[in-house]
Amino acid sequence: MGVGCVTFQFNCVTCRTREHLQGAQVTASGRSETADDLLAALLDGMDAALCAFDADGVITHWNREAERILGWTAGEAVGRKGFAGWAVRAADAQDVQDRLMSAQDVRGRQVHEFALLTKDGGRVLVRTQSAGVPGAGGKPAGVYCAFSEVHAQIDLERSIALSEALMDDASWGVVLVDVDLRPAVVNAHAARAFGSGRTALLGRPLGELLAQGVEELEGALQHVLAEGAPPAPVELWVCVRTPEGVRRRCWRCGFLRLASPLAEEPVPLGVALLFQDVTEARQEQLDTAQLRFRSHQLYRAGRAAAECEDPAEAAVVRLEFALAGFAEHALLDVLEPGRARLLRWAASPPGLPGLPEPGAIPVRYEPGHPVLQALDRTGSVRTSAPLGGAAAEWARARRWPEGAAHVLCTVLRSRGRSLGTLTFLRGPSRAAFERADAAYAEEVAARVAADLDLAGAGPGAAGPGAAGPAAPGPDRKGRA
């Protein structure tokens, strides 16, 4: 980066300064006071130090930033020929003068570094950018020179380099969001996370990019705009809309409030969102915690079932423990001894409205019912209600509670026989059953089946009524 990047203001007024310097060389009497005042205001309002020389090397302009850096006022600087004898060492004066004035003979800008003298005798290393000012007929009319302290210029270039690296090569996503909460700048990593091109994301509402989690993300962005960045990163679960479909991801997010450095008071420009995808790590943690909890529940259920004198009561106790954090309802159906039909043995919690009470009345499942499919496959079957308002009718037609939206049916097996089925039901506010859920349900079903086998339930029992459904026993959770 050259000195032309010293400030945004310098780039804006360079052409205006050139025009006024050209006018200054035509005739001093022809300039209007208004033009002089405007030029002085432009020069003094710049954050970059600027001076100008006529064709003979005499200083014609000197702004306040130049005065701040070197300590010499405009009255002390204007009218001097070059820097010799006051702003540069005598040994360096001619070389500095030649290099500055050589800008008249070449096109474009020239960048140099000089050691200049301050008014109090100190030295400061500056980086200069100079360019020629053509006069009437294209002849050289002078030079203007902008300069800044080298360390300030290096800080600026370092900041610009950091910004460009974040936008191109960063290993985490960077999204600059404007005050309307719409992406204004997106780096390559973030574009890949959204499954789209960088320009395709600009200006679009976040609701078009995220299927879920948009409320949480917008709330965080609004908080940053109003209160500032949070003290620690925040983890958000979002569902990203991609051409391949909706993907559920976990982002570890950091936020920075952006404000304009050119305003007297902080003016919000938006928020910088920096995020990393930590889905795999968080999913592994969730799976481990879930597995630990379910193993503990199986252990507690075994301890409680061991206290039951009746194996049928022990089977019901196991269902009560299995529901915790897993499902809202559980239905236990047992094959009637000597006949291929299912009897409702137990339901947890008991007394569900719209369901047959446990007893000797068969449950009327239609052909193709998921319970019957589980019996035929000797395995598990997962299903969910259709989207829309038909969920209640869907559950009612399958003899399930009205609020059921996700169902998992598995078979009860003991000593090589199918004794019945176990059905778990979830409401619409929960996620559908997954393969890991089916494995847990099968483990519960194996233990329940062992209890029912001890109770003499299922095919091969002594006969109808030999081991009818037992009434649910007392809650044994307190003993675990």
Side-chain angles (χ1 to χ4, degrees), residues 232-316:
V234 179
E235 291 189 1
L236 299 175
W237 283 92
V238 298
C239 291
V240 184
R241 304 179 192 270
T242 68
E244 294 77 22
V246 176
R247 295 186 300 178
R248 188 168 183 262
R249 313 304 295 169
C250 181
W251 290 346
R252 185 173 178 84
C253 303
F255 301 90
L256 296 173
R257 181 168 60 179
L258 305 179
S260 173
L262 303 180
E264 294 182 4
E265 297 182 359
V267 177
L269 296 178
V271 177
L273 165 64
L274 295 84
F275 66 91
Q276 282 185 314
D277 193 321
V278 294
T279 306
E280 286 72 18
R282 293 298 169 265
Q283 191 61 54
E284 288 180 2
Q285 293 179 357
L286 291 175
D287 293 343
T288 301
Q290 184 185 76
L291 181 61
R292 185 184 302 114
F293 173 77
R294 291 178 177 178
S295 298
H296 185 57
Q297 285 297 101
L298 290 173
Y299 168 76
R300 295 179 63 202
R303 293 288 301 272
E307 299 297 325
C308 298
E309 297 180 1
D310 185 355
E313 179 186 350
V316 177

Side-chain angles (χ1 to χ4, degrees), residues 40-41 43-50 62-74:
L43 296 180
D44 289 338
M46 293 174 60
D47 291 334
L50 188 138
W62 187 267
N63 71 349
R64 290 181 182 177
E65 184 64 13
E67 178 181 343
R68 185 194 68 80
I69 294 176
L70 298 180
W72 303 95
T73 66

Side-chain angles (χ1 to χ4, degrees), residues 27-42:
T27 170
S29 60
R31 295 186 305 175
S32 67
E33 294 182 0
T34 302
D36 290 341
D37 293 341
L38 175 59
L39 178 58
L42 288 171

Side-chain angles (χ1 to χ4, degrees), residues 2-35:
V3 180
C5 294
V6 172
T7 64
F8 176 76
Q9 289 177 319
F10 173 73
N11 287 328
C12 292
V13 302
T14 297
C15 60
R16 296 190 183 97
T17 305
R18 185 194 300 269
E19 293 172 359
H20 282 286
L21 289 174
Q22 290 175 348
Q25 303 304 317
V26 177
T27 170
S29 60
R31 295 186 305 175
S32 67
E33 294 182 0
T34 302

